[in-house]
Amino acid sequence: MAFVLFTLTAALPSLRPPHCASPSAACQHGNRGQLTVLYAAVCLLAIGTGGTRFNVAALGADQFGSARDQDTFFNWYFVFLYASFIVGDTAIVYLQDGVSWVLGFSVCLSTAVASLIMLVLGARYYRMPMPKGSPYTELARVVVAAVRKARVDVAGRVQYYLGDGTVVDSGSDGAPTKRLGFLNRAALITASEGTPPGGDRCPSGWRLCTVQQVEDLKSLLGVLPLWSSGILISVSIGVMIGLAILQALAMDRSLGPRFKIPAGSITVCSLAAFITATPVLKRAVFPLWRRATGALPTPLQRVGLGHVVNFTGMVAAALVERRRLRVVRAHHGADVDAPGWVTPMSVLWLIIPLGIMGVGEALHFPGNMTFYYQEFPKTLRSTATAMAPLLIALGFYLSTVFMDVVRRVTAWLPGNINQGRLDNVYWAVAVMAAVNFGYFLVCVSLYKSRK
């Protein structure tokens, strides 16, 4: 539906303002109806992407029984996802900018229809769990039931509800764990309740929950500190993407006498590095790790390595920018106010930090996805696969806030970056990444696996 509207806005003159012949001319803006159609398409695209992209990841992982196969699936899922980003950032952009916006959106519409047909045709072959209602309602019941029993005395021998009319004594197998002990009250059987009757759910689920429901909420809350440690990684990625485009605009983008790399396409290097690094890590690096340690790296160990590589990428970006500024000063470029002045330094230097960042993403994004999927209860598998993209979203929003703060507080980001200190911005992000890695290690040391 989104791409139907996008295609129509490009194809029908009534859904877009008239063509503006010259940037200096007084161009007519879109009217309210045209903007309504455009923003409706954007909203539909956001809703559709949020509802499909990572639910597809959960659905795909559900087809495999072993954790190792699920881990492999997530690696290849991200490879194909990033490959699609490359196609979108190069081929589709070329079609829209160089041939026709109608053609570009029509290709997107065709691929969306083809993917929908493939999904429908394959649906009968998929292994799919039966729907059991909203898992968030079950989590809310645990909180409400625990609050209601906040003043109940739990000293001595108490009983907890397992479901189906079954109870268990405190301290016995099947009793709730001691972490976040306040939530255990939700499954506590009080004198007024007695032994609940059989059934999958208590008559009053807002007063008495099962031990499994309590443990499901604990697993979600226990993951949140580790999850929060990934936000700054996404912040650093967002900062590097934005600044790399600014640097590319001020550098020599020529490849031969006739071709010039578009500044906005330079970040494709990071996507390509991700795709290249994933099979190399899987087939070469991880087997060497197993030879040295006796086991393959766990998802959290891969995430930790991603933190280290991400920090290295920030340092590399700072060093490349420092070299560019030296070239600028050598040619007195900082004294030139012309916005089109190009630093006599190849844009290919940016491949180094962007490539390192892509390798870091190949470590921590699939590692995060696998970790959440394996640690979350089965009822929250779709939520688990959405945790990684939530990191990306929060990180990119906060990277914008960070850049705005830097622009207001320092003189590192003036209108002419040749007169600024982008290297200091990278150094600041590198310091934050180092501190954040320490926070990650603390969270790992305190985390107790659900298994």
Side-chain angles (χ1 to χ4, degrees):
M1 291 174 61
F3 281 111
V4 166
L5 291 182
F6 277 126
T7 305
L8 291 177
T9 59
L12 300 180
S14 60
L15 292 180
R16 66 177 189 272
H19 177 68
C20 190
S22 173
S24 60
C27 300
Q28 181 178 337
H29 297 284
N31 58 40
R32 182 173 299 179
Q34 294 167 344
L35 291 176
T36 299
V37 175
L38 177 63
Y39 285 122
V42 173
C43 290
L44 285 173
L45 182 62
I47 295 170
T49 304
T52 57
R53 180 175 293 170
F54 293 97
N55 279 312
V56 167
L59 175 63
D62 285 343
Q63 310 310 305
F64 302 93
S66 70
R68 184 173 181 179
D69 290 339
Q70 292 165 354
D71 187 14
T72 301
F73 167 78
F74 284 127
N75 283 331
W76 285 107
Y77 173 79
F78 271 100
V79 166
F80 280 95
L81 180 65
Y82 275 53
S84 70
F85 290 163
I86 290 180
V87 174
D89 289 345
T90 55
I92 301 299
V93 170
Y94 172 78
L95 287 177
Q96 292 173 335
D97 198 41
V99 182
S100 167
W101 280 90
V102 177
L103 177 60
F105 283 133
S106 297
V107 171
C108 295
L109 176 59
S110 300
T111 57
V113 171
S115 65
L116 176 60
I117 293 174
M118 292 173 63
L119 179 70
V120 173
L121 292 178
R124 59 179 176 170
Y125 302 108
Y126 302 145
R127 179 193 301 170
M128 292 184 288
M130 294 297 294
K132 298 181 180 179
S134 172
Y136 304 107
T137 303
E138 304 297 321
L139 300 179
R141 283 176 174 165
V142 175
V143 176
V144 173
V147 172
R148 281 181 168 179
K149 299 176 184 178
R151 297 185 179 181
V152 175
D153 185 13
V154 294
R157 179 177 175 271
V158 295
Q159 290 184 320
Y160 295 100
Y161 181 51
L162 292 179
D164 295 328
T166 307
V167 298
V168 64
D169 292 336
S170 57
S172 304
D173 291 339
T177 58
K178 294 182 179 180
R179 62 170 182 167
L180 301 173
F182 174 78
L183 296 176
N184 294 344
R185 296 171 181 269
L188 177 67
I189 299 175
T190 61
S192 61
E193 291 162 342
T195 302
D200 293 335
R201 187 177 295 171
C202 304
S204 178
W206 296 96
R207 299 191 68 90
L208 182 61
C209 303
T210 66
V211 171
Q212 185 60 53
Q213 290 171 333
V214 173
E215 293 302 316
D216 286 350
L217 179 57
K218 288 182 180 180
S219 66
L220 177 60
L221 296 177
V223 164
L224 289 180
L226 272 171
W227 174 81
S228 66
S229 67
I231 295 176
L232 271 179
I233 285 187
S234 295
V235 171
S236 63
I237 294 173
V239 169
M240 181 177 286
I241 288 176
L243 294 185
I245 294 175
L246 289 179
Q247 291 172 284
L249 287 169
M251 299 174 74
D252 182 10
R253 293 180 280 123
S254 300
L255 280 183
R258 296 184 178 180
F259 181 75
K260 181 178 289 187
I261 300 174
S265 298
I266 191 64
T267 55
V268 170
C269 300
S270 174
L271 304 177
F274 182 103
I275 295 173
T276 305
T278 298
V280 172
L281 291 170
K282 186 72 175 179
R283 300 297 181 184
V285 178
F286 293 164
L288 291 176
W289 180 291
R290 180 168 55 185
R291 287 184 183 181
T293 64
L296 289 170
T298 65
L300 280 182
Q301 287 173 331
R302 286 157 50 193
V303 173
L305 288 173
H307 277 264
V308 175
V309 175
N310 181 266
F311 166 78
T312 305
M314 292 299 109
V315 173
L319 295 176
V320 169
E321 174 61 12
R322 177 176 291 183
R323 187 183 190 281
R324 191 190 72 85
L325 289 177
R326 280 203 297 265
V327 175
V328 169
R329 286 192 291 269
H331 291 80
H332 306 287
D335 301 329
V336 180
D337 292 329
W341 189 84
V342 175
T343 308
M345 176 178 171
S346 174
V347 74
L348 298 180
W349 277 91
L350 296 178
I351 293 178
I352 299 174
L354 289 171
I356 295 174
M357 184 179 71
V359 174
E361 290 184 65
L363 284 164
H364 60 74
F365 276 156
N368 270 317
M369 185 82 83
T370 303
F371 171 72
Y372 299 133
Y373 183 85
Q374 294 177 359
E375 287 296 312
F376 274 40
K378 291 183 178 180
T379 55
L380 294 172
R381 288 281 170 82
S382 294
T383 303
T385 53
M387 297 297 280
L390 278 176
L391 287 176
I392 300 173
L394 277 175
F396 275 57
Y397 278 120
L398 291 177
S399 68
T400 304
V401 175
F402 172 79
M403 297 289 285
D404 187 59
V405 171
V406 169
R407 194 175 291 111
R408 292 172 181 269
V409 175
T410 71
W412 298 343
L413 287 173
N416 184 351
I417 65 169
N418 293 329
Q419 300 172 351
R421 293 298 304 271
L422 263 65
D423 57 332
N424 286 347
V425 180
Y426 284 126
W427 285 121
V429 177
V431 171
M432 290 193 301
V435 174
N436 185 60
F437 179 57
Y439 170 66
F440 168 79
L441 294 178
V442 172
C443 293
V444 170
S445 65
L446 296 177
Y447 181 73
K448 293 184 179 180
S449 174
R450 171 174 163 264
K451 301 177 181 179

